[in-house]
Amino acid sequence: MATTQIAVRLPDALLRQLDELVELGEASSRADAVRTALEHYVRITESRRIGRQIAAGYERHPVGEPDEWGNLDELADWGAASVLRDLDRQDDEADSGQW
């Protein structure tokens, strides 16, 4: 993988904390610690972006409201009722010895 070197200015306190991470073995070098922190920051930022997109989708299409797929709540209710009718029928058949 190609890499590019960059220069970063850090406050003294942050640099001391960075060096402590390296001394404790949390990172093999300052560069490794900074790279790991940036990768973590990028993942968190991307996750938040996706979360905002999902929330915006729910605002555009609130749960329980009909959309281009129809009324999914009614469909789910119909499906559950259908399953319950089939189970009742099977129970009735089992009780009458038809099984």
Side-chain angles (χ1 to χ4, degrees):
M1 168 188 356
T3 61
T4 301
Q5 184 175 349
I6 63 169
V8 179
R9 293 186 182 271
L10 301 175
D12 290 340
L14 186 55
L15 184 60
R16 281 192 299 276
Q17 290 175 319
L18 182 63
D19 287 338
E20 286 176 19
L21 291 174
V22 174
E23 288 174 19
L24 293 171
E26 297 293 330
S28 59
S29 65
R30 286 177 171 175
D32 180 48
V34 170
R35 185 174 31 259
T36 300
L38 283 173
E39 289 169 350
H40 182 70
Y41 176 73
V42 167
R43 279 194 307 275
I44 288 172
T45 302
E46 179 68 6
S47 178
R48 287 179 182 158
R49 184 187 65 77
I50 291 169
R52 286 191 301 271
Q53 288 178 334
I54 291 170
Y58 279 111
E59 288 175 9
R60 285 191 308 274
H61 301 285
V63 175
E65 290 187 8
D67 59 14
E68 62 271 9
W69 290 82
N71 189 333
L72 297 180
D73 285 342
E74 284 182 10
L75 181 60
D77 291 345
W78 175 85
S82 176
V83 167
L84 291 173
R85 281 192 303 274
D86 286 346
L87 289 173
D88 286 342
R89 182 186 48 76
Q90 290 173 10
D91 282 346
D92 291 344
E93 289 173 359
D95 289 344
S96 67
Q98 293 179 2
W99 273 52

